[in-house]
Amino acid sequence: MPDPVAVQDLPAHTDVLVIGGGAIGAAVAYHLRLADPGVAVTVVERDPTYELASTPRASGGVRRLFSLPENIALSQYSIDVFADFARLMAVDGEPAEIGWKRNGYLFIVPPESVGMLRENFETQEALGCHVVWLDPDGVKDRFPSMYTGDLGGAVLSPDDGWLDPHAVLMGLRAKAVSLGARFVADEVVALDRQGAAVTGAHLASGRVVTFDQVVVAAGAWADQVCAMVDVATPITALRRFEHFFVPQDPIEPLPYLKDTQRLAFRPEGRGYSGGVPTLAEPRGVNFAIDHRYFEDVVWPALAHRFPQFERTKCLSTLPGLYDQNDLDGNVIIGPVADLGNFHLLAGFSGHGLMHAPGCGRAMAELLLTGGYRTIDLSRFGWQRVADGTPLPERGII
Ligand SMILES: Cc1cc2nc3c(=O)[nH]c(=O)nc-3n(C[C@H](O)[C@H](O)[C@H](O)COP(=O)(O)OP(=O)(O)OC[C@H]3O[C@@H](n4cnc5c(N)ncnc54)[C@H](O)[C@@H]3O)c2cc1C
């Protein structure tokens, strides 16, 4: 089996250069080589340990509960991939286990948001998702510990769940390497631009690589890479904490739970993993830990919903970065501005891990055929950024 973090030599020229080797860059490399074993793919990743990358710091939630058909379709495809990941990403017969837990997702909303939830539910049903509408009594029947007095409704998506993000990254990367993608440990520090094309990358080591196409899969650092060709994006680094906490008393088995105040958590071992991401957070790369955040924001929300959390203990707080698209909270995919061969695949705003397989395939289609063949992601392209016309999710994000 190839070393999942195998580091290879840099060629002088590559067909496609991928900047950033997290879940997104690895998924692009995998799909490119799967679709066309003749295409030369080089991924430049500055930190093969992924210490600060967002992927290993993700919560691992994977759901179909979106309002935009594109996001629902990306989830449907990606969840099928995750369910069969061990086999699909096996290398030399070694299965790629990712701890996939199909324990469901539950969105709960107050009475004033029931209309929005119902509309989204109908869209999800129309697109073939297995979703279950629950009134507050129905929620109480299934989850007797939950306080439901302030709820108006809920939607359960029983086939959704969560997985181990680091294992997903290692699986995608190892499979991409086994298919012939080349991962190089270095940092892109400058890009050459000639008119409407970007032609070469300068690396921190002093080496230079030229390419036909380039994909920016640099996550929360995507804006910094785009700035190398004088393009400003609405993508910012947004710090978010993932907490691990244990309640005083046991709770019945729970799905991944989310509400309109952005409380989001799921079972993990003998406790729970989750938090309350906030858009009020100042933007920028910041890995400092605010130990009061759990006590001031997360704990009251948990204790309100479940009495078992009244004396919960937070055992760890891990900071990580969203690649937040401040225009509308959705990914930006495809060529940027007037640069025909400079493609962006970032701005996932908290959904990147679950959409990595679908977006990796979409980007491969775009690069190899000039258009989308399976899921049409045209509305997620740069044009909406240029026009200043957001395409946001409705409801819980
Ligand atoms: C706390 C938290 C919880 C989350 N929970 C979920 C969840 O439940 N479900 C979900 O779907 N998503 C979740 N996310 C979001 C998810 O983690 C991201 O959307 C996803 O991991 C993005 O993958 P990526 O490959 O684009 O970014 P990354 O994993 O950050 O990879 C980008 C890589 O680019 C490299 N890089 C940057 N600049 C350069 C350069 N100049 N040269 C070379 N390399 C460079 C970096 O080293 C990095 O490894 C969560 C995120 C956080 C922080």
Side-chain angles (χ1 to χ4, degrees):
M1 177 176 168
D3 177 352
V5 292
V7 171
Q8 301 175 3
D9 289 338
L10 183 75
H13 182 85
T14 185
D15 296 330
V16 181
L17 183 79
V18 181
I19 304 174
I24 299 301
V28 171
Y30 161 71
H31 276 290
L32 278 168
R33 292 290 303 187
L34 186 71
D36 182 356
V39 67
V41 180
T42 304
V43 182
V44 178
E45 168 53 58
R46 65 181 169 200
D47 178 13
T49 71
Y50 296 100
E51 187 194 353
L52 298 177
S54 301
T55 301
R57 291 171 183 254
S59 182
V62 169
R63 59 170 158 104
R64 294 167 175 85
L65 298 180
F66 286 95
S67 66
L68 291 174
E70 288 89 340
N71 280 331
I72 295 170
L74 284 169
S75 293
Q76 283 173 310
Y77 168 72
S78 298
I79 292 170
D80 283 351
V81 171
F82 291 132
D84 198 20
F85 197 91
R87 185 186 66 82
L88 288 171
M89 302 299 155
V91 175
D92 293 340
E94 190 73 38
E97 303 294 348
I98 55 168
W100 168 234
K101 304 234 173 356
R102 192 169 67 88
N103 291 346
Y105 241 90
L106 182 72
F107 275 14
I108 55 174
V109 303
E112 64 271 22
S113 302
V114 165
M116 165 278 292
L117 192 72
R118 171 65 72 175
E119 248 181 69
N120 294 351
F121 170 76
E122 285 166 6
T123 306
Q124 291 146 11
E125 267 204 321
L127 293 173
C129 302
H130 172 205
V131 278
V132 181
W133 181 266
L134 297 173
D135 59 20
D137 288 344
V139 177
K140 194 78 185 164
D141 284 348
R142 284 177 190 252
F143 309 107
S145 301
M146 195 189 304
Y147 171 63
T148 54
D150 58 349
L151 296 184
V155 169
L156 179 68
S157 185
D159 298 334
D160 296 351
W162 56 90
L163 39 71
D164 173 352
H166 185 260
V168 170
L169 168 54
M170 289 299 112
L172 285 168
R173 179 170 168 147
K175 190 68 181 180
V177 169
S178 78
L179 294 175
R182 194 186 283 257
F183 279 69
V184 174
D186 214 326
E187 180 173 9
V188 173
V189 292
L191 291 163
D192 292 327
R193 178 178 175 162
Q194 288 177 3
V198 179
T199 52
H202 297 256
L203 308 188
S205 61
R207 299 178 295 176
V208 178
V209 57
T210 60
F211 45 76
D212 299 332
Q213 311 265 5
V214 59
V215 179
V216 181
W221 298 271
D223 191 49
Q224 294 177 10
V225 176
C226 290
M228 294 175 193
V229 288
D230 298 325
V231 170
T233 78
I235 299 172
T236 56
L238 174 71
R239 182 181 60 166
R240 191 219 124 151
F241 299 122
E242 185 75 10
H243 311 276
F244 176 68
F245 45 95
V246 287
Q248 68 205 42
D249 298 311
I251 306 178
E252 62 274 11
L254 293 180
Y256 202 126
L257 189 103
K258 254 176 110 88
D259 72 13
T260 47
Q261 303 304 305
R262 307 195 87 188
L263 172 67
F265 70 98
R266 62 171 176 81
E268 171 68 41
R270 64 189 182 92
Y272 296 84
S273 184
V276 180
T278 172
L279 295 178
E281 172 74 18
R283 301 300 192 264
V285 173
N286 177 9
F287 286 94
I289 297 176
D290 173 359
H291 288 286
R292 294 207 57 84
Y293 192 79
F294 182 84
E295 217 174 294
D296 294 347
V297 179
V298 184
W299 171 72
L302 290 167
H304 170 75
R305 197 54 65 201
F306 291 92
Q308 289 93 332
F309 285 129
E310 265 157 27
R311 282 192 290 123
T312 191
K313 261 206 186 104
C314 179
L315 298 185
S316 78
T317 295
L318 190 66
L321 300 176
Y322 273 6
D323 47 321
Q324 181 67 28
N325 177 357
D326 277 330
L327 177 71
D328 59 16
N330 276 311
V331 65
I332 303 171
I333 180 167
V336 163
D338 61 335
L339 299 169
N341 73 334
F342 184 77
H343 302 267
L344 187 54
L345 187 50
F348 286 96
S349 313
H351 312 138
L353 180 67
M354 69 180 92
H355 287 164
C359 281
R361 183 178 66 169
M363 181 53 80
E365 290 171 357
L366 198 57
L367 294 171
L368 296 174
T369 73
Y372 297 115
R373 304 292 143 196
T374 46
I375 304 171
D376 184 1
L377 297 183
S378 312
R379 294 202 301 167
F380 283 162
W382 181 260
Q383 196 56 48
R384 77 189 196 283
V385 179
D387 297 342
T389 48
L391 181 65
E393 273 291 314
R394 283 189 317 275
I396 298 180
I397 46 172

